[in-house]
Structures are given as structure tokens and as C-alpha cells.
Amino acid sequence: MRELVVAFLVCSFTLFSSTVMAQNTNARKLSYFGITAGGVYPMELDSDADPLDNISLPSVRLSDGYMFGIKFGHAPEKLSKTIAIAMEVEAFMITGTDISSERYYTDPISSNVKIDADISVIATMFNLLVKDPHGQFHPYGGLGLGWTWFEIGDATLTSGTSTNSLSDLRDDVFGYQILLGLGVDLTDTLSLDFGYRYFRTEPKIRFTDGPDHDVKMTYEADIFTVFLSFRF
């Protein structure tokens, strides 16, 4: 999985480096690279089991977490006097949005069953942004599409004094995000962006501990980010 992310970033860097070398050296700096960090505030993790399995799984609350990543971007042309487009490729990781002692369901024979689990998400995205290119402040909005690697690790189910461990559960699946933000030029080459994004992916997890059954999950989060970029 991580090898795919590294290969994706190397190809992206090569693409954008070639674009910059082809530009006139006197042209305005249109490409950029930077690092992103932010806070992640997930919604409840919803689960829909395969109807043939005849089981019902409740939603569970997730802890607040954080994200960090890197991003390459290029703004090739202005659409008009007031609007420009930017294309970006990015890779980021979400961690810390875990399940901690959440009541999962009620066992009719024993007692409430609680779940603890670590959740991590790695995503690679292609973003298309529309922004105001003039002045020092640049409001923007856009959409990102890409691929995500979703993993539930160190999962345990506790019922009374009995604790059962589950094998690591993972899936790679399509994901998307909606982005809004404001970029601020600090110098001719440095910029700082303050952004918000809504992120969503729907992994399908196959449980194999006990009777096999498939569970489709919906992972959604509000993410507030800071992006420090260098233009070249």
C-alpha cells in the first residue's frame, strides 16, 4: 500500500517538474509544493451489513484525530480576469479517529458488547480548484477525487469479562472531498492556506472471525487544515 503511495508521488513530482521547466523563466510562478496538517472531526461510522447476512450493526462514535500530507499544484491559465483554476495532486494520512469503548450492541445472553479499534485512512487525491488569483488573499473552492486505503486495526470486542480480538480489517476504495479555503501570500514564493474539507469514503469490510459477512461502512469527516506552500 505504501509503495503505491510513494510511486504516485514520484510520478506526480516528475510531471510537475517537467511542466515548470517548460515555462518561460520570466513568467509568474505558477507551480507550488507544500505540506498540510489539520484537525479531523469525524461523524459516526455507519455500517450496512449484507442483507443476506440478516444482521444489524449500529453506528459508532469516533474520536477526533488529525491529518498530515503533502501536495503538488499547478495553475496553468486564468479562466477570466477574476477566476483562475489550479490542479493538485496530494497524499495524506488520517489517524487518531479511533473507536474507544463504544457500546456496539446488546448480547441477549450476556451483556452490552463494547468495541475498541484503531482507524487509519491513507488517501491520494486529484483536486481541481477555482480561485481568485489577484491580490494577497485568494479565496477558493473545489472538488477532489481519488483512492483511499481504509484500515481498522487492533480491534477488540468486550462482553463482561470476556475479550475477543479481531484480525485487522482493511479495504481500498474510491473517495472524494469538497474543499473551501483562503490562501494568503506571505512573500513572492511562500503562501499559507487556511482550509476546510468534507471527506467521505465507503469501504466494504469482510469479517472472517466467526461466520463470514460483508459490512459496508461510511466514513465521513470535517477537516480543518493549514497548508504551507512554496511557489516555483
Side-chain angles (χ1 to χ4, degrees):
M1 178 178 66
R2 288 181 171 81
E3 289 80 3
L4 289 175
V5 175
V6 171
F8 178 87
L9 295 176
V10 170
C11 292
S12 301
F13 179 78
T14 302
L15 173 63
F16 282 103
S17 297
S18 299
T19 302
V20 173
M21 292 177 65
Q23 293 177 348
N24 188 316
T25 56
N26 294 323
R28 188 174 66 89
K29 298 178 178 65
L30 299 177
S31 298
Y32 52 92
F33 165 78
I35 56 175
T36 304
V40 181
Y41 303 92
M43 303 175 193
E44 289 188 343
L45 183 66
D46 293 328
S47 302
D48 294 322
D50 188 328
L52 297 178
D53 288 332
N54 241 353
I55 61 175
S56 177
L57 298 177
S59 301
V60 292
R61 291 174 297 180
L62 302 178
S63 303
D64 296 339
Y66 56 93
M67 65 88 71
F68 56 90
I70 60 176
K71 196 159 48 170
F72 301 90
H74 182 66
E77 295 290 344
K78 294 180 181 179
L79 294 179
S80 68
K81 293 182 179 180
T82 58
I83 297 177
I85 60 171
M87 296 179 292
E88 300 178 341
V89 288
E90 71 169 329
F92 61 86
M93 180 176 184
I94 296 173
T95 187
T97 57
D98 303 329
I99 306 169
S100 180
S101 296
E102 174 74 6
R103 190 180 75 176
Y104 200 42
Y105 62 88
T106 300
D107 188 328
I109 297 177
S110 56
S111 60
N112 291 334
V113 176
K114 295 183 178 181
I115 183 172
D116 292 86
D118 298 335
I119 293 179
S120 64
V121 181
I122 295 176
T124 57
M125 291 281 169
F126 175 79
N127 303 325
L128 185 64
L129 306 179
V130 177
K131 59 173 60 179
D132 181 355
H134 301 290
Q136 183 182 3
F137 301 95
H138 310 284
Y140 65 85
L143 176 67
L145 305 174
W147 206 249
T148 66
W149 290 264
F150 180 89
E151 181 174 354
I152 300 176
D154 298 328
T156 59
L157 293 176
T158 302
S159 177
T161 59
S162 175
T163 299
N164 297 313
S165 298
L166 302 178
S167 58
D168 289 349
L169 308 169
R170 57 177 62 89
D171 189 23
D172 54 285
V173 67
F174 171 80
Y176 73 89
Q177 57 187 2
I178 299 171
L179 304 103
L180 297 171
L182 176 68
V184 181
D185 293 336
L186 302 178
T187 67
D188 289 341
T189 56
L190 287 178
S191 295
L192 189 64
D193 285 17
F194 301 92
Y196 161 81
R197 66 180 71 185
Y198 166 78
F199 175 78
R200 180 184 176 113
T201 187
E202 297 182 359
K204 189 174 184 180
I205 302 297
R206 184 167 184 81
F207 287 84
T208 57
D209 298 82
D212 292 356
H213 56 272
D214 295 326
V215 177
K216 182 179 180 181
M217 298 182 173
T218 301
Y219 180 91
E220 301 175 277
D222 296 314
I223 306 175
F224 296 90
T225 62
V226 176
F227 172 52
L228 179 64
S229 63
F230 172 78
R231 296 195 305 274
F232 54 94

